[in-house]
Amino acid sequence: MKSSSLFLGVAIVFGLSWVGLVAYPYVELGGVQPEVSEETGSLVPPPVSGVAIEGQRVYAANGCVYCHSQQVRPLPLFTDIPKGLGPRQTVARDYLRYQPASLGRVRTGPDLANVGLRRTEASWFYQHLYEPSVVSPGSNMPAYRYLFEEREIQGQRSDLAVNVQGPHQPKPGYEIVPTPEAQALVGYLMSLKRDYPLPEAPKPPEEG
Amino acid sequence: MTASTPTTQPTVPADSSAAARRAEVDRSVRGLVLFCFASAIFWLVVGSFLQVISGTQLVIPSFLDCAAFFTFGRVQPAGLTALVFGWGSLAGLGFGIWQMARASGKVVRGVTLPVCSVILWNLALVGGVLGILAGKGSGIPYLELPGPAAFAILLAFGLLVIWLLLTLRGTPGQPLYIAKAFFVVALFLFAWLYSSANTLLIWTVSPGSVTGPIEGWFENGLFGLWLTFLSLSALFYLLPVAAGRPLHSQGLATFAFWTLLFFGGWGGMRYFIGGPIPAWMVSASVVATFLLILPALAVVTNLGRTIGDAGSRLWEAPTTRYLIAGLIFYFSWVVGCAFVAIPTVSSIFHFTIYQEGLTLIAIYGFVSLTLIGAILTLLPRFGHSFNPASASLHFWLIIVGLGLFATSATIGGLLQGFALYDVEVSFLNVVDYVFPFRVLVFVGLLTVFAATLGFAALFARSVYVPAKEPAVPVSQPVPQNVEVVA
Amino acid sequence: MSEQSPMNPATPDTGEPTVENASVPVWFWCLSVAMVFVGALYLGVNSGGFKANVFNPDQVSWVGGGAPAGPPDPKVIGKRLFSANCVVCHQASGEGVPGQFPPLVDSEWVLSKEWHGDNHLVKLVLSGMQGPVTVKGQPFNNAMPAWKQLKDSEIAAILTYIRSEWGNNAAPIPADFVAKIREEIADRSDPWTQAELQAIDRVLVSEAEAAPAPEEAPADPNAQPPAPEADQAAEPAPGA
C-alpha cells in the first residue's frame, strides 16, 4: 500500500472517532447554555461564585479526582440515587460552570457530585480536611494540613479558626486557620449541588 | 569506520555482507537508541517509585502527608505521567527508531537533532512532573502536564518525527511490514491525540460539559492506540525474527491494524458508563471496547501461529519470554476492558480497585513486559552481554507483582463493587473491605519497583561494563569508542 | 556473521522479518461478523435515539425517539406562577378575602360546577372581570385584571394548579384549550361581567376533546397526558 493512501485511510478511520467523540460533543455539549427553568423560574445550572471557580483549581491541582468521582448514574442499572449520592442523574449541563469538570474514574473516596447538599457547614469541611481520620474514623483520606496555617491569636479568635480535635493541636495561644486556598476549596465543595431540575435529567419517581 | 552515505541503498550480494551491513546500521543509531532507552528506564524507575509512594499512602494515609509536594493526589498522577510519557513513549520510540533504521538499511550519520529532541523531551518531563508535584497539574488524568511542558513534549516529538521521516524513509515501492506500519501510524496518532486534547483542555478553556468526552477519547487513545501500537510494533517485529519464521498471515495483521484503529478510537466513553455523556456515545464506546477483542484475537492468533512449536524455545530464553508474556497480558487487558464495559458489570466493577488494577496491567503487563523484552533483545547488539538469570529474576518479580494486581483487581474489585452497589453498606465499610487488597497492590508495586531497579542496573552494566565471562556470547563486541553523536 | 552474532541466545539475527500470506481463517470471519452484528444491535437499542440530550439509554429507546423527558409538572409551574401573580388577592390559601376577593377553594367558578364551564374560567382569566359576581353564595363587587400577557401554557398551569390544590379536584386545563379560547375572544378587550358569561354555553375540556375539532393529541407516551376522566385527572398516576 502506498504511504499516502495509508495515511489518508488512517486519517479517515481514526478521524471518525475524533468527529464523534471530540468535535460532536464540543459543538453539542459545549454549546448548551444555562436556561431559565420552567419549574423554578430561576437559572439552571445556577451561577457559581468566583470563590468556587477558584476552589475548582485547588481541587484539580491537588488531584482530588484520583479518589473522588463526581457523577450520579441513573436507575435502574445503578444504585447511586438510592445510595443518596444525588436526587437525579448528572448530565453534561451540570458541569457547564466548571472548567474543567472532574468526573473521576474511581471511588476510593465517596462521590462528591452533591456533597454540598449533604454537608452544609463550612466548619465540617475544614475539620475534615485538616484531620479526616478524626472526623470520619476509618477514613483513608490523607490530611490536608498544608492547606491551613497556625497563627497567633490576635485579640479574638478568628471566625474561621478550625475547632481542632485529635493529635494535631495548635500551640497554646495559637489557632489553626484555613489558607485562602482551603477557603476556595471548601467554597467549591459546598457549591456542588445538582438538585435543580433539568429537562434532560428527570427525577426518578419517589417509590423506586 | 567507514559509512556510506545515507541515501545509498544497500546491495545484498551475500549473507555475510548483509549481516555486516546490519551491524553497521546498528552502530550508527546505537547512541541515539541507547539514549532513548536510558531515558525511558530512568522514567520507569522514577514512575514506579512514585507509584510505590502513592500505593503506600492508600494503605497508610498519613504517610508523607506533611507537605503539599507529596500528597497522594499529586504523586499518583506524577507517577502515571512518568510511566506513560517517559517510560512507555520513549522506550517505544527508541525501538521504533532502530526498527526504521533496520528497515531502511541506511547508515545514519547525524543524530544531533534527534538526540536534542530526546533531551528536550526529558527536560520537559522533568519540569512537568515537578510541576505536577508543585500543584500545577490540570486535574485531568494523563493531561496533567502543565501547558508549557506539554507543548515542549509535542515540539520534541515533532522534531524527532521530522528527522525520522527525512532520514529513515523506506524505499518507495518497498513492501511495508506491519511492525513498521504500526510504528509510523502510532507517531501520527500521538501527534493528533496529544495536540488535539491539549488544545481543547489545557491550552484553551472549554466548558466543563465537554471535559469528559475529550479526556476519555484521549486517555483511551493514549493507551489503546499510542502505547498499544508501539508495543505491538515491537511484538510483530521481534517475535517472527526470534522464531526464525515469517509472520503467519498478512491478512490477519492487516485486519488487526484497521479494526484496532477504528474501534480503538471509539472506545473512549467506556470510562463514563452511566455518566454525563450522551447515551449513544457511551453505547458506541461499549460496543467498540467489546469489539477490540477481535483485533486482539487476530494478533494473538497470528503471532501464535507464527511461533508455533518454537514457543517453548522462546519461553526458555529470558528475553523472548518477556515478549510472549507481553502478548498474553495484551490479550488479558483487552478482555478485562471489554468485561467492565458491559453496563451490568460496570454497575458493580466501575469506580473500584478493578479499574486501578486494569491500568497497572496495561502499563506493567502489556507495555512494560513487551518493551523490556525489546530492550533486552537489542542490548547484546548495543552493549555487552548480560546475565540471563538476572533478566529472568526481574521477569518473575514483575509477574508476581502483576499476579497481585490481578488478584486485587478481580476479587477486591468484586467485593468493593458489591459494597458500593449495596444500598445498606456505608462508605466507610467499603473502605474496610477493600483495605486488604490495597495492601496486596502495595506489595505488588514494591515488587515491580524492585524489578525495575534490577532491570535498570542490568541495563547500565550491560552498556558500560564488559562482563568478565560473558554469559551471553557476543562474537563481535561493539567498540566503545565509536563516534555516534555527530 | 549472522549465525555467530545472535541478538540473544534465542534470536539469531536473520535480518528483517518477512511475511506469509496465510488467509484469514473462516471461523475468524464468522466470529467477526457475529460480533459486529450483535454490537450494532446493541448500539441501536441503547442509542437513546442518537440525541445529545439523552443521557440514560433506558429512558428512551430508538424506537420511541422523541423528547427525553416528560415536561415538568404543570402543577409545580402553576404554583410558582400563582405565587407570583395571584396571591395578592386570592391569597396563598386560596381563601380570598371575605367581601373583597372571592375564594378559589371549592368555588363553582374554578371547579366548573352548575352553569359554569371551563370556557368561562379561561375567558375571565384572559380578559378579566368586573361588576357584581356571586361565588359560593356570597356577593362580591370588584375588578379582576386581564392576564392576556401570560402564555397559554402558563395560564393552563395556573388553572390546573388551582383546580387541584386545597382539596379542589377538577380536570387539568390543557394549554391548547386556552389557545382555542384565546382565539375565540381575540377581539375582546373589555372585562367580562357575570351576566355576559352566563349567556355563553358551558364547555368542558373533556367535551372539547371529544369534539371533532382538530385537537393534537400528544404522541409522546412520556408526556403528562391530560387525563380524559375529569374526576381522576388531578390525581397523580398511582404507583408512577
Side-chain angles (χ1 to χ4, degrees):
Chain A
M1 187 185 272
K2 269 195 184 155
S3 60
S4 57
S5 54
L6 171 76
F7 275 92
L8 188 66
V10 169
I12 291 170
V13 171
F14 179 66
L16 276 174
S17 78
W18 184 83
V19 169
L21 299 185
V22 177
Y24 170 85
Y26 194 79
V27 173
E28 288 287 329
L29 303 183
V32 293
Q33 295 295 328
E35 62 179 37
V36 175
S37 164
E38 274 193 76
E39 216 165 298
T40 60
S42 50
L43 206 58
V44 288
V48 163
S49 69
V51 170
I53 298 290
E54 195 54 45
Q56 207 281 332
R57 283 190 206 116
V58 181
Y59 187 92
N62 290 287
C64 305
V65 72
Y66 292 95
C67 286
H68 295 282
S69 64
Q70 283 188 31
Q71 316 170 33
V72 180
R73 298 168 299 167
L75 288 165
L77 201 52
F78 306 95
T79 54
D80 292 0
I81 294 171
K83 285 211 96 167
L85 300 183
R88 59 164 174 81
Q89 177 187 14
T90 49
V91 295
R93 214 185 330 187
D94 286 317
Y95 303 86
L96 206 55
R97 306 279 188 183
Y98 305 104
Q99 295 152 345
S102 301
L103 298 181
R105 304 276 193 284
V106 288
R107 284 186 182 159
T108 302
D111 187 90
L112 299 181
N114 289 296
V115 72
L117 290 176
R118 296 198 294 272
R119 300 282 178 184
T120 49
E121 290 191 353
S123 58
W124 182 89
F125 284 98
Y126 289 133
Q127 279 184 309
H128 193 271
L129 285 170
Y130 186 77
E131 190 73 79
S133 56
V134 170
V135 183
S136 314
S139 162
N140 64 344
M141 176 164 144
Y144 289 88
R145 282 191 297 281
Y146 64 81
L147 291 174
F148 296 81
E149 58 189 2
E150 187 172 352
R151 70 173 187 202
E152 208 173 347
I153 298 174
Q154 308 279 335
Q156 234 178 333
R157 201 162 172 267
S158 163
D159 289 343
L160 289 168
V162 181
N163 180 18
V164 176
Q165 292 153 343
H168 292 91
Q169 295 286 347
K171 284 177 288 200
Y174 282 73
E175 61 185 356
I176 302 291
V177 287
T179 58
E181 276 191 319
Q183 293 177 34
L185 178 61
V186 170
Y188 168 67
L189 292 172
M190 291 177 71
S191 82
L192 296 175
K193 300 174 185 172
R194 272 112 183 185
D195 60 341
Y196 44 82
L198 284 178
E200 66 268 36
K203 283 186 192 175
E206 287 301 318
E207 57 271 76
Chain B
M1 123 155 297
T2 54
S4 49
T5 56
T7 43
T8 330
Q9 288 310 307
T11 47
V12 192
D15 215 32
S16 64
S17 88
R21 176 81 196 177
R22 285 199 292 274
E24 207 178 326
V25 170
D26 286 355
R27 272 194 295 277
S28 74
V29 290
R30 175 183 183 270
L32 174 60
V33 172
L34 281 184
F35 183 43
C36 283
F37 286 167
S39 311
I41 293 168
F42 168 75
W43 288 113
L44 172 64
V45 172
V46 170
S48 303
F49 178 64
L50 292 172
Q51 285 283 293
V52 168
I53 293 184
S54 58
T56 313
Q57 285 168 332
L58 283 173
V59 179
I60 309 166
S62 61
F63 183 65
L64 288 177
D65 69 352
C66 49
F69 211 72
F70 299 114
T71 194
F72 173 84
R74 299 186 187 179
V75 175
Q76 169 84 354
L80 289 174
T81 302
L83 286 171
V84 169
F85 291 93
W87 158 239
S89 300
L90 284 174
L93 280 171
F95 181 81
I97 291 169
W98 174 79
Q99 176 198 335
M100 281 190 67
R102 270 296 185 97
S104 72
K106 290 170 187 164
V107 174
V108 177
R109 291 212 294 186
V111 289
T112 317
L113 180 65
V115 167
C116 287
S117 308
V118 179
I119 291 174
L120 177 60
W121 184 301
N122 279 313
L123 290 178
L125 209 49
V126 169
V129 168
L130 288 177
I132 294 170
L133 292 174
K136 305 279 178 225
S138 69
I140 306 174
Y142 302 101
L143 288 166
E144 284 279 358
L145 286 174
F151 183 79
I153 283 191
L154 260 179
L155 182 68
F157 180 76
L159 291 174
L160 190 64
V161 170
I162 289 170
W163 172 83
L164 256 179
L165 294 183
L166 287 182
T167 317
L168 295 176
R169 270 186 96 138
T171 328
Q174 189 184 9
L176 181 63
Y177 182 61
I178 189 69
K180 190 177 165 189
F182 268 126
F183 177 67
V184 175
V185 169
L187 300 175
F188 177 65
L189 296 180
F190 181 76
W192 191 334
L193 283 163
Y194 204 44
S195 62
S196 196
N198 271 299
T199 305
L200 293 175
L201 293 183
I202 305 297
W203 299 331
T204 62
V205 170
S206 298
S209 48
V210 300
T211 314
I214 299 174
E215 69 168 271
W217 173 80
F218 174 75
E219 180 178 340
N220 179 67
L222 188 69
F223 278 88
L225 294 171
W226 167 240
L227 293 179
T228 298
F229 274 34
L230 287 181
S231 308
L232 287 185
S233 174
L235 289 176
F236 270 106
Y237 190 97
L238 293 175
L239 280 177
V241 171
R245 298 193 181 146
L247 182 69
H248 171 68
S249 166
Q250 175 70 43
L252 272 175
T254 312
F255 177 92
F257 177 85
W258 289 106
T259 47
L260 200 51
L261 193 66
F262 183 69
F263 298 130
W266 273 101
M269 302 305 112
R270 66 191 162 92
Y271 307 107
F272 306 116
I273 296 168
I277 312 284
W280 76 265
M281 290 167 68
V282 174
S283 300
S285 286
V286 168
V287 172
T289 307
F290 219 82
L291 290 181
L292 276 174
I293 291 179
L294 284 177
L297 207 56
V299 167
V300 171
T301 310
N302 204 359
L303 288 175
R305 292 195 180 176
T306 305
I307 297 167
D309 53 9
S312 55
R313 179 167 59 86
L314 297 186
W315 183 257
E316 290 304 311
T319 51
T320 38
R321 187 186 295 158
Y322 274 96
L323 299 174
I324 292 174
L327 184 63
I328 293 169
F329 275 102
Y330 165 58
F331 193 72
S332 331
W333 173 60
V334 170
V335 171
C337 288
F339 174 66
V340 77
I342 301 169
T344 317
V345 177
S346 167
S347 70
I348 303 294
F349 277 95
H350 189 41
F351 293 133
T352 69
I353 196 170
Y354 181 87
Q355 299 283 23
E356 299 162 56
L358 212 51
T359 306
L360 290 173
I361 299 257
I363 291 179
Y364 286 117
F366 171 38
V367 175
S368 297
L369 285 180
T370 304
L371 292 177
I372 289 176
I375 291 175
L376 288 178
T377 311
L378 296 199
L379 258 187
R381 295 242 110 208
F382 292 140
H384 302 280
S385 60
F386 56 84
N387 183 355
S390 163
S392 188
L393 173 71
H394 307 151
F395 177 81
W396 289 111
L397 279 177
I398 297 179
I399 293 292
V400 167
L402 287 167
L404 291 172
F405 299 155
T407 314
S408 54
T410 46
I411 304 176
L414 194 72
L415 268 176
Q416 190 189 7
F418 272 109
L420 281 173
Y421 185 85
D422 192 334
V423 179
E424 303 298 319
V425 179
S426 80
F427 191 83
L428 286 171
N429 284 332
V430 180
V431 174
D432 285 345
Y433 292 148
V434 81
F435 181 80
F437 300 98
R438 296 211 180 280
V439 176
L440 289 188
V441 170
F442 165 70
V443 174
L445 285 169
L446 213 57
T447 321
V448 168
F449 177 59
T452 61
L453 276 182
F455 169 60
L458 179 146
F459 179 83
R461 201 164 45 235
S462 166
V463 173
Y464 293 110
V465 186
K468 288 199 178 94
E469 277 180 44
V472 181
V474 178
S475 65
Q476 224 181 17
V478 178
Q480 284 299 293
N481 57 352
V482 174
E483 200 65 31
V484 272
V485 182
Chain C
M1 172 171 150
S2 64
E3 296 316 308
Q4 317 96 300
S5 116
M7 292 162 80
N8 72 45
T11 316
D13 183 8
T14 53
E16 288 297 287
T18 50
V19 61
E20 275 178 341
N21 213 352
S23 56
V24 179
V26 175
W27 65 265
F28 194 84
W29 281 122
C30 296
L31 183 70
S32 303
V33 170
M35 280 181 73
V36 169
F37 179 75
V38 172
L41 210 61
Y42 174 86
L43 177 59
V45 172
N46 292 282
S47 64
F50 290 98
K51 287 175 196 300
N53 61 352
V54 177
F55 293 85
N56 183 357
D58 295 323
Q59 209 170 288
V60 179
S61 73
W62 69 287
V63 187
D73 189 346
K75 275 181 267 171
V76 177
I77 302 167
K79 182 173 187 175
R80 175 172 64 80
L81 293 168
F82 184 81
S83 308
N85 297 306
C86 316
V87 291
V88 180
C89 299
H90 295 292
Q91 307 300 310
S93 63
E95 297 285 1
V97 177
Q100 284 192 54
F101 305 113
L104 307 176
V105 180
D106 200 26
S107 154
E108 67 274 22
W109 289 82
V110 171
L111 300 175
S112 304
K113 288 195 269 196
E114 299 158 26
W115 60 268
H116 303 274
D118 297 343
N119 55 334
H120 300 142
L121 181 63
V122 174
K123 279 179 179 163
L124 76 86
V125 171
L126 278 170
S127 302
M129 204 171 172
Q130 67 177 15
V133 294
T134 308
V135 180
K136 289 166 81 176
Q138 300 296 314
F140 294 86
N141 191 347
N142 213 326
M144 167 162 160
W147 294 98
K148 280 195 173 92
Q149 70 277 17
L150 295 180
K151 286 185 276 190
D152 295 337
S153 62
E154 290 173 328
I155 289 178
I158 292 173
L159 294 179
T160 302
Y161 169 69
I162 64 171
R163 281 158 70 105
S164 63
E165 187 72 13
W166 316 299
N168 282 357
N169 190 354
I173 302 288
D176 44 16
F177 184 76
V178 180
K180 210 176 66 174
I181 302 282
R182 193 195 289 269
E183 208 175 309
E184 271 178 33
I185 59 166
D187 43 0
R188 182 175 183 105
S189 53
D190 302 331
W192 300 94
T193 62
Q194 178 167 340
E196 273 181 302
L197 288 174
Q198 204 161 356
I200 302 171
D201 284 343
R202 148 177 217 256
V203 179
L204 295 179
V205 171
S206 46
E207 295 164 5
E209 271 181 8
E215 289 285 334
E216 244 186 76
D220 185 358
N222 287 313
Q224 291 269 334
E229 300 89 14
D231 42 355
Q232 269 192 14
E235 302 277 0

